[in-house]
């Protein structure tokens, strides 16, 4: 199985400030079709996870443009340009290159 | 509106069987894979497996193969997750989600719609 490792595990951020978190995979997520099979999900407290980013850098429908995903191969980053209170929750990356798909352990974003 | 609606909370005893459901609406249920994700209390997300209702093609995570059974009834747009004998370690929240592009990779666009979750509690 592909192992996903996220950092940091906890991320305190002041509202209005940027935030960045990392996700690394144990093997490259780059497919021969040139897509990186890496998603980002946000789970707000008490809610179901929601898709933020798919294929490394594509924002899902309805996701604010303050969220951006980047990276290729084994190293990926999720950035929030200006954190808002509603961004609080746990961010998970997930590889979808091969089954079983696997999640990282999550980065918990909290407001300072 | 595209949505997945899951069955209600369950409280079971060790050794009992259980089948929970996930009903899709607002899209062609048979043409999307339905995935299942476990979240144990206070823990992260675990990918359990996926099923394509159209032909019952199923891909299990090795961690869950033999522990659960996934099935689907495309006539009623419903996917199922079942246990033949529950244990205390099955206590968790279980989410379903839809996805596509598992085989035709160019169509992949994430697990874009999620159910509200089903809480399963196993206790004597």
């Amino acid at each position: 199985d592909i192992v996903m490792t996220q950092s940091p595990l906890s991320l305190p951020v002041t509202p209005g400030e940027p935030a960045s978190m990392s996700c690394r995979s144990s093997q490259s997520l780059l497919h021969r079709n040139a897509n990186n099979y890496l998603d980002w999900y946000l789970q707000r407290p008490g809610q179901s996870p929601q898709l933020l980013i798919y294929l490394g850098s594509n924002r899902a429908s309805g996701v604010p443009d303050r969220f951006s995903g980047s990276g290729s191969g084994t190293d990926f980053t999720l950035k929030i340009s200006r954190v808002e209170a509603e961004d609080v929750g746990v961010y998970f990356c997930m590889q979808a290159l091969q089954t079983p798909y696997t999640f990282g352990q999550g980065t918990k974003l909290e407001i300072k | 509106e595209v949505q997945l609606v899951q069955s209600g909370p369950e409280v079971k005893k060790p050794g009992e069987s259980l089948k929970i459901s996930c009903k899709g609406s607002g899209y062609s249920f048979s043409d999307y894979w339905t995935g299942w994700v476990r979240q144990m209390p206070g823990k992260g997300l675990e990918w359990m497996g996926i099923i394509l209702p159209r032909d019952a093609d199923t891909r299990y995570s090795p961690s869950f193969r033999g522990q659960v059974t996934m099935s689907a009834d495309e006539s009623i747009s419903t996917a199922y997750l079942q246990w033949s004998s529950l244990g205390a370690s099955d206590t968790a929240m279980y989410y379903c989600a839809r996805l596509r592009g598992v085989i035709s990779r160019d169509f992949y666009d994430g697990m874009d719609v999620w159910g509200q979750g089903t809480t399963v509690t196993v206790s004597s």
Side-chain angles (χ1 to χ4, degrees):
Chain A
D1 297 2
I2 297 176
V3 177
M4 306 300 292
T5 303
Q6 293 184 242
S7 63
L9 297 183
S10 179
L11 183 58
V13 184
T14 300
E17 294 297 305
S20 178
M21 61 193 75
S22 172
C23 176
R24 290 184 172 176
S25 56
S26 61
Q27 64 188 74
S28 176
L29 303 183
L30 181 62
H31 191 270
R32 58 180 179 271
N33 65 8
N35 289 321
N36 283 281
Y37 283 80
L38 187 283
D39 303 334
W40 290 95
Y41 297 86
L42 164 61
Q43 186 175 35
R44 295 189 173 100
Q47 295 188 17
S48 302
Q50 66 173 95
L51 176 66
L52 295 176
I53 303 286
Y54 64 94
L55 296 177
S57 61
N58 295 279
R59 269 190 305 277
S61 176
V63 174
D65 61 7
R66 65 178 183 276
F67 290 92
S68 63
S70 63
S72 184
T74 61
D75 291 328
F76 298 88
T77 301
L78 178 70
K79 293 182 179 178
I80 310 172
S81 58
R82 295 172 305 280
V83 170
E84 298 186 5
E86 66 178 19
D87 301 335
V88 164
V90 183
Y91 292 77
F92 295 95
C93 61
M94 185 192 85
Q95 69 80 17
L97 180 70
Q98 63 187 50
T99 60
Y101 297 174
T102 45
F103 290 95
Q105 69 271 55
T107 290
K108 186 174 184 179
L109 186 147
E110 56 187 24
I111 298 296
K112 279 184 183 176
Chain B
E1 179 191 5
V2 176
Q3 60 179 354
L4 291 169
V5 178
Q6 298 186 232
S7 49
E10 301 277 359
V11 180
K12 293 289 189 179
K13 290 181 166 44
E16 291 186 331
S17 63
L18 175 64
K19 192 173 189 177
I20 63 175
S21 66
C22 169
K23 183 175 177 60
S25 61
Y27 69 101
S28 180
F29 185 78
S30 296
D31 292 335
Y32 279 76
W33 296 76
T34 299
W36 290 94
V37 174
R38 183 175 79 174
Q39 187 168 41
M40 300 177 78
K43 301 298 184 182
L45 304 176
E46 299 174 89
W47 192 89
M48 301 176 70
I50 52 176
I51 184 168
L52 184 63
R54 184 175 65 223
D55 60 9
D57 186 356
T58 310
R59 316 286 173 92
Y60 290 97
S61 166
S63 299
F64 292 93
R65 184 177 293 118
Q67 309 306 309
V68 296
T69 301
M70 297 177 191
S71 61
D73 184 343
E74 59 178 333
S75 70
I76 54 172
S77 300
T78 301
Y80 302 97
L81 181 66
Q82 68 180 93
W83 295 258
S84 59
S85 179
L86 288 160
S89 61
D90 295 314
T91 294
M93 177 75 85
Y94 293 87
Y95 295 102
C96 64
R98 77 166 192 177
L99 66 158
R100 59 181 179 173
V102 173
I103 296 175
S104 302
R105 302 269 43 206
D106 289 343
F107 291 98
Y108 183 79
D109 53 3
M111 300 176 75
D112 66 337
V113 179
W114 291 67
Q116 82 276 21
T118 296
T119 300
V120 174
T121 303
V122 184
S123 175
S124 55

